[in-house]
Amino acid sequence: MTKRPPLHYIREPSEIYAESFATVRKEARLDRFDPSMQPLVTRLIHSCGMVEIADRLAFSPNAAREGMAALAAGAPVLCDCEMVGAGIIRRYLPADNQVIVTLNNPSVPTLAKDIGNTRSAAAVELWRDHIDGAVVAIGNAPTALFHLLELLDQCWPKPACILGFPVGFVGAAESKAELAANPRGCDFVALRGRKGGSAMASAGVNALAAGLPEDGT
Ligand SMILES: C/C1=C2N=C(/C=C3N=C(/C(C)=C4\N[C@@](C)([C@@H]5N=C1[C@](C)(CCC(=O)O)[C@H]5CC(=O)O)[C@@](C)(CC(=O)O)[C@@H]4CCC(=O)O)[C@@](C)(CC(=O)O)[C@@H]\3CCC(=O)O)C(C)(C)[C@@H]/2CCC(=O)O
């Protein structure tokens, strides 16, 4: 067997994180974000490897602060799909917050037929009892975000913060544009355009759950 030279790469987790976040801070344009938003934006970039997304984020001024406060107060996290829920680092959650995904509830396929929409949209109907003051994380389904906005128009209670990261070519850009144009009185963060994804939505929740660094930066 040929003896190959050892591969050189960083093996220490804390060193990997430190170098990664330092690279994001060096290469991304973070100065337009206030200190409460910068850790969130850094973590979003870290989750997808694209520093340019910083320029495509739409957000309300208090989004990060309100999202952090909601989690600290014990609010649940409502996710559009299992992938978003799976990416949430439970040990970061400040109040052992519930992470709720209703997509695979047995009633959802029938509900989807009844309302003439996707399973992802139907699953949002089951958020009714949890939505007041919650953190919503949508990383996959444009129809989930569209339907949430429709339900807010029907006077549903408001979540504290909506993280809008649906991805793809059908409805993703449009659903996020609608959120940014009219967030129905909710705080929000959304990535404009086709890019997004479950990993980004999870990363957004993880940033809110981790809170601000102790020096406030
Ligand atoms: C149209 C859909 C799109 N899905 C995308 C990308 C990915 N989806 C994955 C997986 C495994 C799932 N997607 C579903 C949510 C499924 N995807 C849809 C729907 C048909 C409609 C949603 C919508 O348009 O709003 C949706 C089914 C539904 O009736 O709601 C999923 C539930 C499908 C299933 O289980 O059968 C499933 C969710 C699994 C979970 O709970 O986590 C992918 C991994 C790709 C794959 O199918 O293998 C990928 C993940 C992307 C991510 O980061 O989340 C798009 C691109 C969002 C696409 C919508 C737009 C388009 O351009 O087509």
Side-chain angles (χ1 to χ4, degrees):
M1 209 167 76
T2 326
K3 185 147 179 5
R4 299 190 189 280
L7 297 176
H8 293 289
Y9 58 95
I10 306 176
R11 294 160 197 256
E12 170 55 41
S14 56
E15 206 184 318
I16 295 169
Y17 270 118
E19 180 162 335
S20 197
F21 286 124
T23 305
V24 172
R25 283 193 287 268
K26 191 168 77 190
E27 294 185 11
R29 284 203 294 262
L30 298 176
D31 33 311
R32 82 177 171 109
F33 302 101
D34 84 17
S36 71
M37 275 294 289
Q38 288 188 7
L40 173 57
V41 178
T42 302
R43 199 153 190 127
L44 290 172
I45 293 170
H46 175 256
S47 71
C48 67
M50 296 180 283
V51 291
E52 63 275 16
I53 67 150
D55 301 330
R56 304 279 292 155
L57 285 169
F59 55 98
S60 56
N62 291 326
R65 267 188 291 269
E66 289 298 319
M68 285 182 227
L71 291 182
V77 183
L78 302 175
C79 310
D80 67 324
C81 65
E82 300 289 349
M83 290 179 285
V84 173
I88 295 172
I89 303 172
R90 300 305 198 267
R91 70 177 183 281
Y92 284 8
L93 291 168
D96 199 18
N97 309 64
Q98 255 192 299
V99 175
I100 298 173
V101 188
T102 51
L103 181 62
N104 291 311
N105 183 293
S107 66
V108 163
T110 309
L111 193 52
K113 283 203 186 80
D114 290 348
I115 66 169
N117 210 326
T118 64
R119 280 185 292 138
S120 302
V124 173
E125 298 260 344
L126 304 183
W127 293 356
R128 178 69 178 78
D129 291 343
H130 307 284
I131 191 88
D132 196 0
V135 170
V136 169
I138 298 180
N140 181 305
T143 56
L145 180 53
F146 271 131
H147 196 48
L148 173 63
L149 296 175
E150 289 172 337
L151 293 168
L152 290 171
D153 285 338
Q154 293 166 29
C155 297
W156 261 32
K158 293 183 199 315
C161 184
I162 302 173
L163 301 172
F165 294 94
V167 60
F169 302 95
V170 179
E174 295 83 351
S175 60
K176 292 178 284 188
E178 178 62 29
L179 172 66
N182 181 359
R184 277 78 176 166
C186 304
D187 280 297
F188 75 99
V189 183
L191 180 60
R192 291 185 187 279
R194 293 171 168 176
K195 290 176 184 161
S198 295
M200 294 186 75
S202 310
V205 174
N206 292 335
L208 297 179
L212 292 177
E214 269 166 28
D215 62 1
T217 59

